[in-house]
């Protein structure tokens, strides 16, 4: 029997950022990964403090951006890799009114550090009304991040690549198969719906598609372009474009309508030929109030859930991993806005 402080179930952003908190604090743990193509693994990796449809920001945006940069620096020290790509977002304006709204909001106290006042014309794409740069925006090297952290955990013998079997938990003895544990953290995304301890939490699947494309005329700028969706380079010629949002078509197959939506969106501002090399999709776990769900089970006091990260999985996963750690280890209360108790679900 191997003794660990934590068992983490899941392998997305919530799982890996919480694992980082445990590494920082010298806690013993194992991560159970099914190696499925999770929403985190196929995400764009956008780090963005602005809601680009309305030109607004969100709760704790600056704190989350600052904490993410600090955390990625810490992760670099033990993986040896930097996963932060400093390629700012340029939002193409649809019309003159959007440009004027951007300029007006760029003086707002909560947006002054995010919306650049300088209007920019991009020479490589169609942007008749120019674009605005989102300061402090960037991207995460998603593939590098997961590969680097999984390799680190593998070398430390802290990752188990198999399905977690709920019925193998011995609740009375705090054991799972050949592990004795102090706490279990469930970070399963939409997989939580199969979890007998937390299946009632109100996460809703939001299906997102993206395409990987080859552009006939590569873009010279090292930026992320946003109009309806995000476009950015993966290699010299291959680009990522996405992603869509769909709460209706939830089957586990590619939706041709989503692909058509992406093709149409790209053609609006990219005037050259391109070819689709790959189509991917994932199911984001979203919550009606757009806040993560974090907390302790009402009956099994060493079982916790960390879920509902939504489209801001990187920022939410990073920032609230410390909140969960401090809640468990230091009895620091969770923010009411993210605590599971706000739903009165009987699980808290």
């Amino acid at each position: 029997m191997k003794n660990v402080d934590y068992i983490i179930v899941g392998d997305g952003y919530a799982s890996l950022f919480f694992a980082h908190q445990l590494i920082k604090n010298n806690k013993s743990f194992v991560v159970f990964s099914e190696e499925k193509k999770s929403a985190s693994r196929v995400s764009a990796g956008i780090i963005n403090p602005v809601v680009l449809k309305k030109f607004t920001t969100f709760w704790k945006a600056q704190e989350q951006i600052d904490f993410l940069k600090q955390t990625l620096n810490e992760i670099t020290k033990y993986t040896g890799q930097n996963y932060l790509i400093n390629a700012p977002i340029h939002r193409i304006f649809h019309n003159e009114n959007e440009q004027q709204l951007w300029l007006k909001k760029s003086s707002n106290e909560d947006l002054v550090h995010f919306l650049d006042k300088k209007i920019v014309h991009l020479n490589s794409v169609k942007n008749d009304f120019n674009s605005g740069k989102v300061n402090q925006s960037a991207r995460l090297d998603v593939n590098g991040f997961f590969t680097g952290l999984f390799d680190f955990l593998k070398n430390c013998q802290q990752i188990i690549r198999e399905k977690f079997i709920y019925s193998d938990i011995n609740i009375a003895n705090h054991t799972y198969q050949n592990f004795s544990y102090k706490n279990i953290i469930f970070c399963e995304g939409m997989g939580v719906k199969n979890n007998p301890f937390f299946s009632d939490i109100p996460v809703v699947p939001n299906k997102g598609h993206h395409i990987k494309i080859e552009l006939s005329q590569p873009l010279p700028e090292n930026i992320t372009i946003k109009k309806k969706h995000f476009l950015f380079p993966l290699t010299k010629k291959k680009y990522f474009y996405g992603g869509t949002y769909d709460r209706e078509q939830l089957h586990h197959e590619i939706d041709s309508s989503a692909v058509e939506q992406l093709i149409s969106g790209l053609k609006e501002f990219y005037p050259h030929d391109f070819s689709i090399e790959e189509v991917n999709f994932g199911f984001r776990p979203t919550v009606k109030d757009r806040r993560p769900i974090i907390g302790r089970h009402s009956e099994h006091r060493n079982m916790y859930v960390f879920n509902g990260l939504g489209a801001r999985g990187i920022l939410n996963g990073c920032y609230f991993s410390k909140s969960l750690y401090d809640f468990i280890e230091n009895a620091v209360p969770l923010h009411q806005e993210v605590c599971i108790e706000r739903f009165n679900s009987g699980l808290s």
Side-chain angles (χ1 to χ4, degrees), residues 13-22 67 71 294 306 309 314-328 334:
Y13 290 126
S15 170
L16 294 190
F17 280 121
F18 188 78
H20 170 68
Q21 293 299 319
L22 301 182
F67 190 73
T71 298
I294 309 172
F306 186 11
L309 302 188
I314 297 169
L315 290 171
N316 281 332
C318 181
Y319 186 82
F320 291 107
S321 64
K322 186 175 189 303
S323 298
L324 178 56
Y325 180 84
D326 287 341
F327 174 65
I328 298 169
L334 292 166

PDB file of all heavy atoms in Angstrom, residues 13-22 67 71 294 306 309 314-328 334:
ATOM      1  N   TYR A  13      -6.755  21.238 -17.270  1.00  0.00           N
ATOM      2  CA  TYR A  13      -6.121  22.378 -16.605  1.00  0.00           C
ATOM      3  C   TYR A  13      -6.323  22.349 -15.090  1.00  0.00           C
ATOM      4  O   TYR A  13      -5.400  22.636 -14.330  1.00  0.00           O
ATOM      5  CB  TYR A  13      -6.666  23.693 -17.170  1.00  0.00           C
ATOM      6  CG  TYR A  13      -6.234  23.978 -18.586  1.00  0.00           C
ATOM      7  CD1 TYR A  13      -7.164  24.247 -19.588  1.00  0.00           C
ATOM      8  CD2 TYR A  13      -4.884  23.977 -18.929  1.00  0.00           C
ATOM      9  CE1 TYR A  13      -6.765  24.514 -20.890  1.00  0.00           C
ATOM     10  CE2 TYR A  13      -4.478  24.242 -20.228  1.00  0.00           C
ATOM     11  CZ  TYR A  13      -5.420  24.512 -21.204  1.00  0.00           C
ATOM     12  OH  TYR A  13      -5.011  24.771 -22.492  1.00  0.00           O
ATOM     13  N   ALA A  14      -7.526  22.021 -14.634  1.00  0.00           N
ATOM     14  CA  ALA A  14      -7.792  21.992 -13.197  1.00  0.00           C
ATOM     15  C   ALA A  14      -6.839  21.011 -12.515  1.00  0.00           C
ATOM     16  O   ALA A  14      -6.233  21.318 -11.477  1.00  0.00           O
ATOM     17  CB  ALA A  14      -9.249  21.608 -12.930  1.00  0.00           C
ATOM     18  N   SER A  15      -6.699  19.838 -13.084  1.00  0.00           N
ATOM     19  CA  SER A  15      -5.847  18.800 -12.516  1.00  0.00           C
ATOM     20  C   SER A  15      -4.384  19.235 -12.453  1.00  0.00           C
ATOM     21  O   SER A  15      -3.735  19.131 -11.406  1.00  0.00           O
ATOM     22  CB  SER A  15      -5.971  17.522 -13.349  1.00  0.00           C
ATOM     23  OG  SER A  15      -4.992  16.573 -12.975  1.00  0.00           O
ATOM     24  N   LEU A  16      -3.853  19.718 -13.563  1.00  0.00           N
ATOM     25  CA  LEU A  16      -2.424  20.010 -13.617  1.00  0.00           C
ATOM     26  C   LEU A  16      -2.051  21.252 -12.817  1.00  0.00           C
ATOM     27  O   LEU A  16      -0.982  21.300 -12.203  1.00  0.00           O
ATOM     28  CB  LEU A  16      -1.960  20.131 -15.064  1.00  0.00           C
ATOM     29  CG  LEU A  16      -2.032  18.836 -15.875  1.00  0.00           C
ATOM     30  CD1 LEU A  16      -1.333  18.999 -17.213  1.00  0.00           C
ATOM     31  CD2 LEU A  16      -1.421  17.665 -15.121  1.00  0.00           C
ATOM     32  N   PHE A  17      -2.917  22.247 -12.815  1.00  0.00           N
ATOM     33  CA  PHE A  17      -2.607  23.421 -11.992  1.00  0.00           C
ATOM     34  C   PHE A  17      -2.719  23.104 -10.500  1.00  0.00           C
ATOM     35  O   PHE A  17      -1.958  23.633  -9.689  1.00  0.00           O
ATOM     36  CB  PHE A  17      -3.499  24.606 -12.365  1.00  0.00           C
ATOM     37  CG  PHE A  17      -3.048  25.333 -13.600  1.00  0.00           C
ATOM     38  CD1 PHE A  17      -3.889  25.452 -14.704  1.00  0.00           C
ATOM     39  CD2 PHE A  17      -1.791  25.907 -13.674  1.00  0.00           C
ATOM     40  CE1 PHE A  17      -3.472  26.120 -15.858  1.00  0.00           C
ATOM     41  CE2 PHE A  17      -1.360  26.576 -14.817  1.00  0.00           C
ATOM     42  CZ  PHE A  17      -2.207  26.680 -15.903  1.00  0.00           C
ATOM     43  N   PHE A  18      -3.654  22.217 -10.131  1.00  0.00           N
ATOM     44  CA  PHE A  18      -3.716  21.809  -8.725  1.00  0.00           C
ATOM     45  C   PHE A  18      -2.491  20.961  -8.381  1.00  0.00           C
ATOM     46  O   PHE A  18      -1.918  21.097  -7.290  1.00  0.00           O
ATOM     47  CB  PHE A  18      -5.000  21.044  -8.423  1.00  0.00           C
ATOM     48  CG  PHE A  18      -5.177  20.780  -6.950  1.00  0.00           C
ATOM     49  CD1 PHE A  18      -5.614  21.794  -6.101  1.00  0.00           C
ATOM     50  CD2 PHE A  18      -4.877  19.540  -6.412  1.00  0.00           C
ATOM     51  CE1 PHE A  18      -5.746  21.576  -4.736  1.00  0.00           C
ATOM     52  CE2 PHE A  18      -5.010  19.304  -5.055  1.00  0.00           C
ATOM     53  CZ  PHE A  18      -5.441  20.325  -4.209  1.00  0.00           C
ATOM     54  N   ALA A  19      -2.074  20.102  -9.310  1.00  0.00           N
ATOM     55  CA  ALA A  19      -0.861  19.316  -9.083  1.00  0.00           C
ATOM     56  C   ALA A  19       0.333  20.228  -8.842  1.00  0.00           C
ATOM     57  O   ALA A  19       1.203  19.936  -8.000  1.00  0.00           O
ATOM     58  CB  ALA A  19      -0.596  18.397 -10.284  1.00  0.00           C
ATOM     59  N   HIS A  20       0.382  21.352  -9.549  1.00  0.00           N
ATOM     60  CA  HIS A  20       1.477  22.301  -9.332  1.00  0.00           C
ATOM     61  C   HIS A  20       1.475  22.838  -7.905  1.00  0.00           C
ATOM     62  O   HIS A  20       2.542  22.987  -7.291  1.00  0.00           O
ATOM     63  CB  HIS A  20       1.382  23.460 -10.326  1.00  0.00           C
ATOM     64  CG  HIS A  20       2.329  24.577 -10.010  1.00  0.00           C
ATOM     65  ND1 HIS A  20       3.698  24.442 -10.119  1.00  0.00           N
ATOM     66  CD2 HIS A  20       2.102  25.845  -9.544  1.00  0.00           C
ATOM     67  CE1 HIS A  20       4.272  25.572  -9.764  1.00  0.00           C
ATOM     68  NE2 HIS A  20       3.332  26.428  -9.406  1.00  0.00           N
ATOM     69  N   GLN A  21       0.300  23.120  -7.368  1.00  0.00           N
ATOM     70  CA  GLN A  21       0.232  23.573  -5.975  1.00  0.00           C
ATOM     71  C   GLN A  21       0.802  22.518  -5.030  1.00  0.00           C
ATOM     72  O   GLN A  21       1.474  22.845  -4.044  1.00  0.00           O
ATOM     73  CB  GLN A  21      -1.215  23.906  -5.602  1.00  0.00           C
ATOM     74  CG  GLN A  21      -1.804  25.110  -6.315  1.00  0.00           C
ATOM     75  CD  GLN A  21      -1.022  26.390  -6.017  1.00  0.00           C
ATOM     76  OE1 GLN A  21      -0.611  26.627  -4.886  1.00  0.00           O
ATOM     77  NE2 GLN A  21      -0.824  27.209  -7.033  1.00  0.00           N
ATOM     78  N   LEU A  22       0.541  21.265  -5.338  1.00  0.00           N
ATOM     79  CA  LEU A  22       1.049  20.180  -4.492  1.00  0.00           C
ATOM     80  C   LEU A  22       2.565  20.038  -4.628  1.00  0.00           C
ATOM     81  O   LEU A  22       3.270  19.797  -3.638  1.00  0.00           O
ATOM     82  CB  LEU A  22       0.361  18.862  -4.857  1.00  0.00           C
ATOM     83  CG  LEU A  22      -1.167  18.849  -4.728  1.00  0.00           C
ATOM     84  CD1 LEU A  22      -1.713  17.466  -5.073  1.00  0.00           C
ATOM     85  CD2 LEU A  22      -1.614  19.256  -3.332  1.00  0.00           C
ATOM     86  N   PHE A  67      -1.347  36.068 -11.587  1.00  0.00           N
ATOM     87  CA  PHE A  67      -1.069  34.790 -10.937  1.00  0.00           C
ATOM     88  C   PHE A  67      -0.656  33.732 -11.949  1.00  0.00           C
ATOM     89  O   PHE A  67       0.209  32.894 -11.670  1.00  0.00           O
ATOM     90  CB  PHE A  67      -2.289  34.321 -10.141  1.00  0.00           C
ATOM     91  CG  PHE A  67      -2.011  33.141  -9.257  1.00  0.00           C
ATOM     92  CD1 PHE A  67      -1.267  33.285  -8.101  1.00  0.00           C
ATOM     93  CD2 PHE A  67      -2.468  31.882  -9.600  1.00  0.00           C
ATOM     94  CE1 PHE A  67      -0.989  32.196  -7.289  1.00  0.00           C
ATOM     95  CE2 PHE A  67      -2.200  30.779  -8.797  1.00  0.00           C
ATOM     96  CZ  PHE A  67      -1.455  30.939  -7.641  1.00  0.00           C
ATOM     97  N   THR A  71       2.762  31.618 -11.930  1.00  0.00           N
ATOM     98  CA  THR A  71       2.686  30.156 -11.895  1.00  0.00           C
ATOM     99  C   THR A  71       3.473  29.530 -13.038  1.00  0.00           C
ATOM    100  O   THR A  71       4.200  28.542 -12.847  1.00  0.00           O
ATOM    101  CB  THR A  71       1.224  29.700 -11.949  1.00  0.00           C
ATOM    102  OG1 THR A  71       0.536  30.205 -10.807  1.00  0.00           O
ATOM    103  CG2 THR A  71       1.113  28.183 -11.972  1.00  0.00           C
ATOM    104  N   ILE A 294     -16.215  24.722  -6.962  1.00  0.00           N
ATOM    105  CA  ILE A 294     -15.154  24.196  -6.109  1.00  0.00           C
ATOM    106  C   ILE A 294     -15.744  23.886  -4.741  1.00  0.00           C
ATOM    107  O   ILE A 294     -16.530  24.669  -4.213  1.00  0.00           O
ATOM    108  CB  ILE A 294     -14.010  25.218  -5.939  1.00  0.00           C
ATOM    109  CG1 ILE A 294     -13.532  25.736  -7.293  1.00  0.00           C
ATOM    110  CG2 ILE A 294     -12.844  24.610  -5.171  1.00  0.00           C
ATOM    111  CD1 ILE A 294     -12.553  26.881  -7.196  1.00  0.00           C
ATOM    112  N   PHE A 306     -13.378  20.114  -8.412  1.00  0.00           N
ATOM    113  CA  PHE A 306     -12.809  21.313  -9.029  1.00  0.00           C
ATOM    114  C   PHE A 306     -13.217  21.243 -10.491  1.00  0.00           C
ATOM    115  O   PHE A 306     -12.639  20.506 -11.273  1.00  0.00           O
ATOM    116  CB  PHE A 306     -11.297  21.304  -8.848  1.00  0.00           C
ATOM    117  CG  PHE A 306     -10.580  22.549  -9.299  1.00  0.00           C
ATOM    118  CD1 PHE A 306     -11.253  23.713  -9.631  1.00  0.00           C
ATOM    119  CD2 PHE A 306      -9.191  22.558  -9.368  1.00  0.00           C
ATOM    120  CE1 PHE A 306     -10.576  24.852 -10.034  1.00  0.00           C
ATOM    121  CE2 PHE A 306      -8.493  23.687  -9.771  1.00  0.00           C
ATOM    122  CZ  PHE A 306      -9.190  24.838 -10.100  1.00  0.00           C
ATOM    123  N   LEU A 309     -14.714  25.077 -15.366  1.00  0.00           N
ATOM    124  CA  LEU A 309     -13.786  26.146 -15.732  1.00  0.00           C
ATOM    125  C   LEU A 309     -14.210  26.881 -16.996  1.00  0.00           C
ATOM    126  O   LEU A 309     -13.788  28.010 -17.228  1.00  0.00           O
ATOM    127  CB  LEU A 309     -12.375  25.575 -15.913  1.00  0.00           C
ATOM    128  CG  LEU A 309     -11.770  24.845 -14.714  1.00  0.00           C
ATOM    129  CD1 LEU A 309     -10.312  24.513 -14.991  1.00  0.00           C
ATOM    130  CD2 LEU A 309     -11.906  25.647 -13.435  1.00  0.00           C
ATOM    131  N   ILE A 314      -7.735  28.094 -18.560  1.00  0.00           N
ATOM    132  CA  ILE A 314      -6.363  28.346 -18.117  1.00  0.00           C
ATOM    133  C   ILE A 314      -6.354  29.297 -16.928  1.00  0.00           C
ATOM    134  O   ILE A 314      -5.765  29.010 -15.875  1.00  0.00           O
ATOM    135  CB  ILE A 314      -5.514  28.918 -19.267  1.00  0.00           C
ATOM    136  CG1 ILE A 314      -5.416  27.906 -20.405  1.00  0.00           C
ATOM    137  CG2 ILE A 314      -4.122  29.303 -18.774  1.00  0.00           C
ATOM    138  CD1 ILE A 314      -4.827  28.467 -21.677  1.00  0.00           C
ATOM    139  N   LEU A 315      -7.024  30.430 -17.068  1.00  0.00           N
ATOM    140  CA  LEU A 315      -7.036  31.417 -15.984  1.00  0.00           C
ATOM    141  C   LEU A 315      -7.773  30.893 -14.760  1.00  0.00           C
ATOM    142  O   LEU A 315      -7.285  30.996 -13.624  1.00  0.00           O
ATOM    143  CB  LEU A 315      -7.670  32.724 -16.470  1.00  0.00           C
ATOM    144  CG  LEU A 315      -6.846  33.522 -17.481  1.00  0.00           C
ATOM    145  CD1 LEU A 315      -7.665  34.679 -18.052  1.00  0.00           C
ATOM    146  CD2 LEU A 315      -5.571  34.055 -16.841  1.00  0.00           C
ATOM    147  N   ASN A 316      -8.942  30.300 -14.962  1.00  0.00           N
ATOM    148  CA  ASN A 316      -9.712  29.767 -13.830  1.00  0.00           C
ATOM    149  C   ASN A 316      -8.978  28.615 -13.154  1.00  0.00           C
ATOM    150  O   ASN A 316      -8.915  28.526 -11.927  1.00  0.00           O
ATOM    151  CB  ASN A 316     -11.089  29.289 -14.301  1.00  0.00           C
ATOM    152  CG  ASN A 316     -12.075  30.422 -14.494  1.00  0.00           C
ATOM    153  OD1 ASN A 316     -11.976  31.452 -13.843  1.00  0.00           O
ATOM    154  ND2 ASN A 316     -13.025  30.243 -15.398  1.00  0.00           N
ATOM    155  N   GLY A 317      -8.430  27.711 -13.968  1.00  0.00           N
ATOM    156  CA  GLY A 317      -7.747  26.556 -13.414  1.00  0.00           C
ATOM    157  C   GLY A 317      -6.530  26.947 -12.597  1.00  0.00           C
ATOM    158  O   GLY A 317      -6.281  26.387 -11.524  1.00  0.00           O
ATOM    159  N   CYS A 318      -5.771  27.898 -13.102  1.00  0.00           N
ATOM    160  CA  CYS A 318      -4.570  28.346 -12.405  1.00  0.00           C
ATOM    161  C   CYS A 318      -4.920  29.071 -11.106  1.00  0.00           C
ATOM    162  O   CYS A 318      -4.458  28.699 -10.028  1.00  0.00           O
ATOM    163  CB  CYS A 318      -3.759  29.257 -13.328  1.00  0.00           C
ATOM    164  SG  CYS A 318      -2.230  29.854 -12.573  1.00  0.00           S
ATOM    165  N   TYR A 319      -5.741  30.091 -11.192  1.00  0.00           N
ATOM    166  CA  TYR A 319      -6.016  30.953 -10.039  1.00  0.00           C
ATOM    167  C   TYR A 319      -6.726  30.196  -8.920  1.00  0.00           C
ATOM    168  O   TYR A 319      -6.349  30.291  -7.746  1.00  0.00           O
ATOM    169  CB  TYR A 319      -6.867  32.135 -10.496  1.00  0.00           C
ATOM    170  CG  TYR A 319      -7.100  33.168  -9.414  1.00  0.00           C
ATOM    171  CD1 TYR A 319      -6.136  34.136  -9.138  1.00  0.00           C
ATOM    172  CD2 TYR A 319      -8.275  33.180  -8.672  1.00  0.00           C
ATOM    173  CE1 TYR A 319      -6.342  35.086  -8.155  1.00  0.00           C
ATOM    174  CE2 TYR A 319      -8.481  34.124  -7.681  1.00  0.00           C
ATOM    175  CZ  TYR A 319      -7.514  35.080  -7.431  1.00  0.00           C
ATOM    176  OH  TYR A 319      -7.717  36.008  -6.446  1.00  0.00           O
ATOM    177  N   PHE A 320      -7.737  29.416  -9.268  1.00  0.00           N
ATOM    178  CA  PHE A 320      -8.546  28.788  -8.229  1.00  0.00           C
ATOM    179  C   PHE A 320      -7.941  27.475  -7.710  1.00  0.00           C
ATOM    180  O   PHE A 320      -8.417  26.939  -6.719  1.00  0.00           O
ATOM    181  CB  PHE A 320      -9.978  28.601  -8.714  1.00  0.00           C
ATOM    182  CG  PHE A 320     -10.694  29.910  -8.874  1.00  0.00           C
ATOM    183  CD1 PHE A 320     -10.967  30.421 -10.136  1.00  0.00           C
ATOM    184  CD2 PHE A 320     -11.050  30.654  -7.761  1.00  0.00           C
ATOM    185  CE1 PHE A 320     -11.600  31.644 -10.283  1.00  0.00           C
ATOM    186  CE2 PHE A 320     -11.679  31.887  -7.893  1.00  0.00           C
ATOM    187  CZ  PHE A 320     -11.960  32.381  -9.157  1.00  0.00           C
ATOM    188  N   SER A 321      -6.867  26.998  -8.368  1.00  0.00           N
ATOM    189  CA  SER A 321      -6.165  25.847  -7.806  1.00  0.00           C
ATOM    190  C   SER A 321      -5.574  26.212  -6.444  1.00  0.00           C
ATOM    191  O   SER A 321      -5.592  25.399  -5.509  1.00  0.00           O
ATOM    192  CB  SER A 321      -5.056  25.378  -8.751  1.00  0.00           C
ATOM    193  OG  SER A 321      -4.051  26.374  -8.902  1.00  0.00           O
ATOM    194  N   LYS A 322      -5.071  27.422  -6.320  1.00  0.00           N
ATOM    195  CA  LYS A 322      -4.520  27.861  -5.024  1.00  0.00           C
ATOM    196  C   LYS A 322      -5.636  28.061  -4.010  1.00  0.00           C
ATOM    197  O   LYS A 322      -5.469  27.752  -2.818  1.00  0.00           O
ATOM    198  CB  LYS A 322      -3.712  29.136  -5.177  1.00  0.00           C
ATOM    199  CG  LYS A 322      -2.995  29.550  -3.885  1.00  0.00           C
ATOM    200  CD  LYS A 322      -2.111  30.752  -4.071  1.00  0.00           C
ATOM    201  CE  LYS A 322      -1.255  30.996  -2.834  1.00  0.00           C
ATOM    202  NZ  LYS A 322      -2.029  31.163  -1.583  1.00  0.00           N
ATOM    203  N   SER A 323      -6.787  28.564  -4.454  1.00  0.00           N
ATOM    204  CA  SER A 323      -7.929  28.732  -3.547  1.00  0.00           C
ATOM    205  C   SER A 323      -8.343  27.392  -2.962  1.00  0.00           C
ATOM    206  O   SER A 323      -8.611  27.287  -1.756  1.00  0.00           O
ATOM    207  CB  SER A 323      -9.112  29.361  -4.289  1.00  0.00           C
ATOM    208  OG  SER A 323      -8.798  30.643  -4.769  1.00  0.00           O
ATOM    209  N   LEU A 324      -8.387  26.363  -3.814  1.00  0.00           N
ATOM    210  CA  LEU A 324      -8.765  25.038  -3.327  1.00  0.00           C
ATOM    211  C   LEU A 324      -7.704  24.487  -2.380  1.00  0.00           C
ATOM    212  O   LEU A 324      -8.032  23.917  -1.325  1.00  0.00           O
ATOM    213  CB  LEU A 324      -8.981  24.081  -4.504  1.00  0.00           C
ATOM    214  CG  LEU A 324      -9.327  22.632  -4.141  1.00  0.00           C
ATOM    215  CD1 LEU A 324     -10.568  22.562  -3.252  1.00  0.00           C
ATOM    216  CD2 LEU A 324      -9.527  21.794  -5.403  1.00  0.00           C
ATOM    217  N   TYR A 325      -6.438  24.645  -2.741  1.00  0.00           N
ATOM    218  CA  TYR A 325      -5.369  24.161  -1.870  1.00  0.00           C
ATOM    219  C   TYR A 325      -5.426  24.841  -0.495  1.00  0.00           C
ATOM    220  O   TYR A 325      -5.336  24.172   0.544  1.00  0.00           O
ATOM    221  CB  TYR A 325      -3.999  24.407  -2.509  1.00  0.00           C
ATOM    222  CG  TYR A 325      -2.864  23.929  -1.636  1.00  0.00           C
ATOM    223  CD1 TYR A 325      -2.458  22.598  -1.663  1.00  0.00           C
ATOM    224  CD2 TYR A 325      -2.222  24.794  -0.746  1.00  0.00           C
ATOM    225  CE1 TYR A 325      -1.440  22.140  -0.833  1.00  0.00           C
ATOM    226  CE2 TYR A 325      -1.209  24.349   0.085  1.00  0.00           C
ATOM    227  CZ  TYR A 325      -0.824  23.027   0.040  1.00  0.00           C
ATOM    228  OH  TYR A 325       0.170  22.575   0.880  1.00  0.00           O
ATOM    229  N   ASP A 326      -5.579  26.150  -0.482  1.00  0.00           N
ATOM    230  CA  ASP A 326      -5.633  26.885   0.788  1.00  0.00           C
ATOM    231  C   ASP A 326      -6.862  26.504   1.605  1.00  0.00           C
ATOM    232  O   ASP A 326      -6.821  26.494   2.843  1.00  0.00           O
ATOM    233  CB  ASP A 326      -5.632  28.391   0.532  1.00  0.00           C
ATOM    234  CG  ASP A 326      -4.268  28.899   0.087  1.00  0.00           C
ATOM    235  OD1 ASP A 326      -3.261  28.203   0.321  1.00  0.00           O
ATOM    236  OD2 ASP A 326      -4.216  29.996  -0.501  1.00  0.00           O
ATOM    237  N   PHE A 327      -7.954  26.189   0.927  1.00  0.00           N
ATOM    238  CA  PHE A 327      -9.168  25.752   1.607  1.00  0.00           C
ATOM    239  C   PHE A 327      -8.930  24.419   2.324  1.00  0.00           C
ATOM    240  O   PHE A 327      -9.302  24.237   3.493  1.00  0.00           O
ATOM    241  CB  PHE A 327     -10.294  25.622   0.586  1.00  0.00           C
ATOM    242  CG  PHE A 327     -11.580  25.046   1.120  1.00  0.00           C
ATOM    243  CD1 PHE A 327     -12.326  25.720   2.076  1.00  0.00           C
ATOM    244  CD2 PHE A 327     -12.049  23.823   0.657  1.00  0.00           C
ATOM    245  CE1 PHE A 327     -13.513  25.187   2.560  1.00  0.00           C
ATOM    246  CE2 PHE A 327     -13.234  23.280   1.135  1.00  0.00           C
ATOM    247  CZ  PHE A 327     -13.965  23.968   2.091  1.00  0.00           C
ATOM    248  N   ILE A 328      -8.281  23.495   1.638  1.00  0.00           N
ATOM    249  CA  ILE A 328      -8.057  22.167   2.215  1.00  0.00           C
ATOM    250  C   ILE A 328      -6.979  22.199   3.299  1.00  0.00           C
ATOM    251  O   ILE A 328      -7.168  21.667   4.396  1.00  0.00           O
ATOM    252  CB  ILE A 328      -7.652  21.165   1.109  1.00  0.00           C
ATOM    253  CG1 ILE A 328      -8.768  21.014   0.080  1.00  0.00           C
ATOM    254  CG2 ILE A 328      -7.311  19.801   1.715  1.00  0.00           C
ATOM    255  CD1 ILE A 328      -8.355  20.250  -1.160  1.00  0.00           C
ATOM    256  N   LEU A 334     -13.429  29.505   0.847  1.00  0.00           N
ATOM    257  CA  LEU A 334     -13.525  29.734  -0.590  1.00  0.00           C
ATOM    258  C   LEU A 334     -14.353  30.986  -0.862  1.00  0.00           C
ATOM    259  O   LEU A 334     -15.223  31.345  -0.073  1.00  0.00           O
ATOM    260  CB  LEU A 334     -14.186  28.540  -1.276  1.00  0.00           C
ATOM    261  CG  LEU A 334     -13.400  27.236  -1.304  1.00  0.00           C
ATOM    262  CD1 LEU A 334     -14.312  26.083  -1.697  1.00  0.00           C
ATOM    263  CD2 LEU A 334     -12.220  27.334  -2.277  1.00  0.00           C
TER     264      LEU A 334
END
